[in-house]
Amino acid sequence: MLRRYPHAGEPLTCTPLSQGLLNHGYRVSTTRGSYFLKHHSDDATRGRATIVRQHRATRRLQSLGVPVAPPVEARDGETVTEIAGHRYALHPWVDGLHRGGAQLTLAQSTRLGTLLGAVHTGLAQVMDGERDTETVPGGSPAGYASPEAADTYALIGDLLAAARGRGTRDSFDELAEHRLRERRTLLERYADRRPPEPAAPATGWVHGDFHPLNVLYRDAEPVAILDWDRLAVQPRAEEAVRAAAIFFVRPAGELDLAKVRAYARAYRRAAGAGAAELAAAVHRVWWERLNDFWILRWRYCLNDRRADPQFPAVSALAVWWTREYDAVREAFTE
């Protein structure tokens, strides 16, 4: 791999990184410094054209002052290296720490909202004319239709059977069963609040996976936004709401609404997004969370437990959000 990058130096060590659910990463130390070697292994995003588009976007965003870590060019000027059918990219290593919402002050929460707004406005500039192959005819994002409660009822039944049918049950299985039954009751109560299918909302290019493990901090300042695999055209305000629901969720499943408010105000200013746009996004993401069981699908359908630690807070958030719906909407819109 490094022979294709003449300025990278000779390899000294290569250490696998444990973080990351979809692709594989390594810290490579050489005689000239440190690098992040990314193996693009996720089936949905490992196409060469998809990776090249991500690289092009980050190079352009860097020119606007957005903190990113564009890839290093190989000898032939390419940024994607293919070896034995596998695709890799080499990035400069960025020293920094990941910070969840509990580690952010109100001022830093404001800065985070401003940063995401800068990402969205910057992408609108640098991706002008780029085509998103994940959109459906007419330009609306693929998968924009809200989940149907009837489909979720069927999924809950399947997951309940899986949780109950395990030979050796543990506390996770007990919690899963409790949350599934609880969620089914909530869906029956709020089925009439499924978001309508309006004209397409304000869409644009978004990062697609903006959460604490994809933002590096040095001291109080973000120094790099990582992992642009999910770069796509989507409703931009929904990314802002989803990100807040990850950054600012507490272990018991509550959102830190003071920090959400500071973040959302800054995002609206930076992105030029109105309160109505955020209110619609809050409603759609709430409904999405109420119908979503991706962690349980990974565990029971794919036998993949890597996301299990996230389940207690994520599953509690859907319940708390339903109870505090008005307060959450106000935090994003006032």
Side-chain angles (χ1 to χ4, degrees):
M1 174 73 185
L2 289 183
R3 282 197 293 270
R4 306 186 184 203
Y5 296 82
H7 302 297
E10 294 298 317
L12 299 175
T13 62
C14 181
T15 307
L17 303 176
S18 59
Q19 293 176 327
L21 294 178
L22 298 177
N23 295 293
H24 303 296
Y26 307 85
R27 180 171 184 170
V28 178
S29 295
T30 77
T31 53
R32 294 188 179 178
S34 293
Y35 297 87
F36 171 64
L37 174 61
K38 182 169 183 175
H39 176 198
H40 289 267
S41 54
D42 179 33
D43 289 340
T45 60
R46 66 182 180 181
R48 173 177 285 273
T50 299
I51 301 170
V52 168
R53 184 176 65 192
Q54 299 163 19
H55 294 172
R56 188 163 56 240
T58 53
R59 286 200 303 270
R60 293 171 178 174
L61 285 173
Q62 187 178 55
S63 71
L64 297 180
V66 177
V68 290
V72 178
E73 289 188 358
R75 179 182 290 106
D76 58 4
E78 296 292 329
T79 58
V80 180
T81 294
E82 190 163 337
I83 300 175
H86 298 281
R87 296 190 177 101
Y88 302 87
L90 192 68
H91 298 258
W93 181 265
V94 180
D95 285 316
L97 298 172
H98 302 290
R99 296 184 183 277
Q103 298 171 289
L104 300 181
T105 64
L106 281 176
Q108 290 170 329
S109 302
T110 297
R111 175 74 179 90
L112 183 69
T114 300
L115 178 63
L116 183 57
V119 168
H120 288 175
T121 57
L123 286 172
Q125 289 180 246
V126 305
M127 300 297 285
D128 183 37
E130 292 269 0
R131 179 174 175 269
D132 181 10
T133 57
E134 300 303 315
T135 56
V136 295
S140 297
Y144 182 66
S146 299
E148 293 276 3
D151 296 334
T152 307
Y153 294 150
L155 175 60
I156 288 174
D158 293 341
L159 292 173
L160 275 172
R164 291 167 175 165
R166 297 180 67 81
T168 303
R169 287 164 56 83
D170 56 23
S171 59
F172 186 101
D173 299 309
E174 297 289 344
L175 177 61
E177 183 176 347
H178 167 70
R179 291 302 189 195
L180 286 164
R181 288 188 281 104
E182 179 181 53
R183 196 77 63 82
R184 184 165 57 190
T185 299
L186 286 175
L187 281 168
E188 290 169 350
R189 184 179 305 162
Y190 294 101
D192 61 341
R193 295 189 64 180
R194 177 177 180 263
E197 300 305 320
T203 59
W205 287 95
V206 299
H207 177 275
D209 203 17
F210 195 80
H211 59 68
L213 291 182
N214 285 336
V215 182
L216 275 179
Y217 280 82
R218 191 173 301 140
D219 297 325
E221 289 299 310
V223 291
I225 303 169
L226 312 173
D227 193 359
W228 293 78
D229 290 350
R230 301 296 176 180
L231 176 71
V233 174
Q234 294 290 337
R236 57 181 189 170
E238 290 181 27
E239 169 156 90
V241 175
R242 289 191 192 97
I246 301 173
F247 269 96
F248 301 115
V249 65
R250 292 168 169 160
E254 303 173 353
L255 291 178
D256 187 330
L257 293 183
K259 292 180 179 179
V260 169
R261 186 174 292 105
Y263 158 92
R265 284 175 176 170
Y267 172 77
R268 294 200 313 271
R269 286 194 299 267
E277 183 181 345
L278 267 294
V282 166
H283 189 65
R284 289 185 61 83
V285 176
W286 162 75
W287 180 257
E288 174 186 280
R289 287 301 187 98
L290 205 58
N291 285 266
D292 184 44
F293 297 97
W294 72 272
I295 297 174
L296 296 187
R297 294 180 72 156
W298 275 32
R299 178 183 173 92
Y300 294 123
C301 302
L302 304 177
N303 199 30
D304 187 333
R305 301 189 177 193
R306 288 176 295 166
D308 282 8
Q310 301 179 41
F311 182 70
V314 168
S315 60
L317 174 59
V319 180
W320 178 87
W321 192 338
T322 301
R323 186 173 65 248
E324 302 294 336
Y325 180 90
D326 291 339
V328 175
R329 182 180 59 191
E330 289 173 4
F332 277 99
T333 60
E334 67 175 16

